[in-house]
Amino acid sequence: MSDLVQRVRDVLPSVRADLEDLVRIESVWADPQRRPEVQRSAEAVSKLLSDAGFGDVRIVAEGGAPAVIARHPAPDGAPTVLLYAHHDVQPEGDATAWRSAPFEPTERDGRLYGRGTADDKAGIATHLAAFRAHGGNPPVGVTVFVEGEEESGSPSLSRLLAAHKDALAADVIVIADSDNWSTDTPSLTVSLRGLADCVVEVATLDHGLHSGMWGGVVPDALTVLVRLLASLHDDDGNVAVKGLHESVAADVDYTPERVRADTGLLDGVREIGSGSVAQRLWAKPAITVIGIDTTPIGTSSNTLIPSARAKVSMRVAPGGDAAEHLAALTRHLEQHAPWGARVTVTPGDVGQPYAIDASGPVYDAAREAFREAWGADAVDTGVGGSIPFIAAFAGAFPDAKILVTGVEDPDTQAHSINESLHLGVLERAATAEALLLDKLGSHRRR
Ligand code: BES
Ligand code: MN
Ligand code: MN
């Protein structure tokens, strides 16, 4: 076994302890009450990086969440590698539905449970492990960039990039925030979908009415909303909005059995849409209703509801433009409400999709590092999720090679209850990253 592989093993217990401390911090940027926790999280990350040997560590913000930039200078002629992760996490949802408390990291069967154990505090742990395994002195320049508002769509990221362009400039950008094919086989993520969302409100009345007196003549807004939302798909579950982009997914074998196992689809419930699984997940648009504001059942009375709203989230296939997709969705919603109901669409976030041409020496080095660390070849995969800032990074540093790696696996349940990290995957991901730094150290700067 190479020394470096052994050194990753040696540093792993300390890295795991640090990861557990980070998970205990409730860094939910989307919750205004917990923004001080996000600050505390940035301070904790910054201290870990200083202690690991980064000479120049700062907490920065441009009107949004605090991010951490840590720099270790490149040896003469060697390239600089930027290692990205995010320290903010999704809200925990119903804490009582978790098997163990969401912010108390707990090990069961080789997995570490807790919000952010995988998405994406494991990304921070991976970078720490790789840097520590090199004794704080890797053969390349290393910049660690840990963002604090990824789960909120990175609204201030372009300002951060502009304000710290020199500090963040790199030849290779490693984004450790994606998935793996399995706990034994790594993925090299080569495409991500984009995102566009909006809130649609329908109104039929200026006040509620007795549903017995007027039902059957006057439409209620919730029925209108449900019909409008139903118009977003055809009977087979394909997206019915016109003018959306479709690309072509990598050719991988994703069986219906695997879909069932990975998702927990209930017996008898069928998949939706047409085309291969990979095509539907990675290369076609998807539309989901992610929330509704209306009268809750507990306070319902026999009243025609005057207005109701829903949040609609759309994934955009690589090659599509998220803003144009949002416009197409808006037009559809404005045109499909039955019975002349009033429709107001409030645009939300847009994030661009991204596709990578993973060829050339940097990607070859990454594939070798994966093979050595995992004992298996990486599968080129798309993901259905989004990391909108990748397009921003690519725009700011057009010559940099972008590698999207990650520490998640099909059982991670990111964003859901009982999120967890597979500890073997953490070790393999950290080993691959440490080896990658080594290999890139023998590349000279162009
Ligand atoms: N780590 C995910 C992105 C991801 C999801 C990668 C699935 C691989 C597989 C990231 O933290 C995330 O959740 N992104 C959001 C972006 C949004 C909030 C703008 C997403 O995809 O919903
Ligand atoms: Mn993430
Ligand atoms: Mn996420």
Side-chain angles (χ1 to χ4, degrees), residues 9-80:
R9 281 201 185 174
D10 295 343
V11 301
L12 221 58
S14 70
V15 168
R16 176 182 162 173
D18 295 334
L19 170 61
E20 293 188 2
D21 288 342
L22 291 178
V23 172
R24 290 189 183 96
I25 305 176
E26 302 185 17
S27 50
V28 182
W29 181 250
D31 174 2
Q33 303 263 307
R34 288 190 276 191
R35 292 197 168 177
E37 287 286 281
V38 181
Q39 178 65 31
R40 214 156 66 77
S41 168
E43 284 160 13
V45 169
S46 138
K47 178 162 192 315
L48 288 172
L49 292 166
S50 303
D51 291 350
F54 284 88
D56 172 11
V57 183
R58 15 185 171 148
I59 298 177
V60 296
E62 288 296 323
V68 182
I69 301 175
R71 295 173 73 202
H72 176 80
D76 262 354
T80 293

Side-chain angles (χ1 to χ4, degrees), residues 38-411:
V38 181
Q39 178 65 31
R40 214 156 66 77
S41 168
E43 284 160 13
V45 169
S46 138
K47 178 162 192 315
L48 288 172
L49 292 166
S50 303
D51 291 350
F54 284 88
D56 172 11
V57 183
R58 15 185 171 148
I59 298 177
V60 296
E62 288 296 323
V68 182
I69 301 175
R71 295 173 73 202
H72 176 80
D76 262 354
T80 293
V81 183
L82 180 119
L83 304 175
Y84 169 95
H86 61 89
H87 69 99
D88 61 314
V89 298
Q90 285 278 336
E92 67 279 27
D94 178 4
T96 63
W98 286 67
R99 259 189 77 190
S100 49
F103 296 101
E104 185 45 55
T106 306
E107 183 177 347
R108 288 191 295 273
D109 300 329
R111 305 189 67 98
L112 188 65
Y113 287 82
R115 173 57 85 234
T117 50
D119 185 12
D120 183 31
K121 290 176 177 176
I124 306 171
T126 302
H127 303 328
L128 267 179
F131 195 74
R132 283 188 190 155
H134 279 282
N137 199 16
V140 287
V142 174
T143 303
V144 177
F145 177 48
V146 183
E147 192 202 349
E149 54 180 25
E150 194 278 341
E151 300 291 7
S152 305
S154 309
S156 67
L157 189 92
S158 45
R159 290 199 298 275
L160 280 172
L161 285 183
H164 303 282
K165 195 156 180 187
D166 293 342
L168 294 170
D171 303 288
V172 178
I173 298 173
V174 179
I175 293 167
D177 189 25
S178 190
D179 211 353
N180 288 290
W181 184 247
S182 72
T183 55
D184 303 315
T185 305
S187 286
L188 184 59
T189 298
V190 295
S191 79
L192 300 109
R193 287 193 291 194
L195 186 86
D197 61 37
C198 65
V199 171
V200 56
E201 173 154 5
V202 299
T204 54
L205 292 161
D206 66 3
H207 58 275
L209 291 173
H210 191 293
S211 63
M213 283 176 76
W214 292 106
V217 169
V218 169
D220 72 89
L222 187 54
T223 298
V224 167
L225 180 62
V226 167
R227 290 181 79 102
L228 175 57
L229 296 175
S231 75
L232 293 168
H233 296 89
D234 68 17
D235 287 348
D236 296 325
N238 288 297
V239 170
V241 176
K242 296 273 173 287
L244 304 185
H245 179 75
E246 178 169 347
S247 61
V248 178
D251 183 19
V252 301
D253 191 25
Y254 212 127
T255 63
E257 293 69 37
R258 174 152 182 197
V259 172
R260 224 153 257 282
D262 286 359
T263 61
L265 201 60
L266 299 177
D267 281 346
V269 181
R270 292 191 297 275
E271 289 179 23
I272 55 171
S274 53
S276 73
V277 173
Q279 185 66 16
R280 277 174 285 157
L281 285 180
W282 306 339
K284 285 178 87 162
I287 295 184
T288 318
V289 180
I290 59 171
I292 289 193
D293 284 349
T294 189
T295 309
I297 291 170
T299 57
S300 63
S301 59
N302 286 328
T303 301
L304 298 177
I305 293 173
S307 68
R309 38 188 220 145
K311 185 163 182 182
V312 179
S313 167
M314 173 165 55
R315 298 289 168 169
V316 179
D321 179 79
E324 284 171 15
H325 277 61
L326 182 53
L329 174 61
T330 302
R331 274 195 304 279
H332 179 103
L333 292 167
E334 286 169 352
Q335 289 167 3
H336 283 77
W339 312 320
R342 290 203 193 155
V343 176
T344 314
V345 179
T346 307
D349 293 328
V350 288
Q352 296 299 349
Y354 198 70
I356 295 168
D357 169 14
S359 60
V362 168
Y363 297 98
D364 292 344
R367 289 179 207 282
E368 274 175 35
F370 276 131
R371 192 175 310 122
E372 285 173 41
W374 290 67
D377 282 327
V379 181
D380 281 15
T381 57
V383 294
S386 312
I387 310 182
F389 70 79
I390 297 183
F393 257 111
F397 304 111
D399 295 329
K401 299 290 172 211
I402 297 179
L403 275 165
V404 182
T405 66
V407 202
E408 297 186 16
D409 72 89
D411 289 328

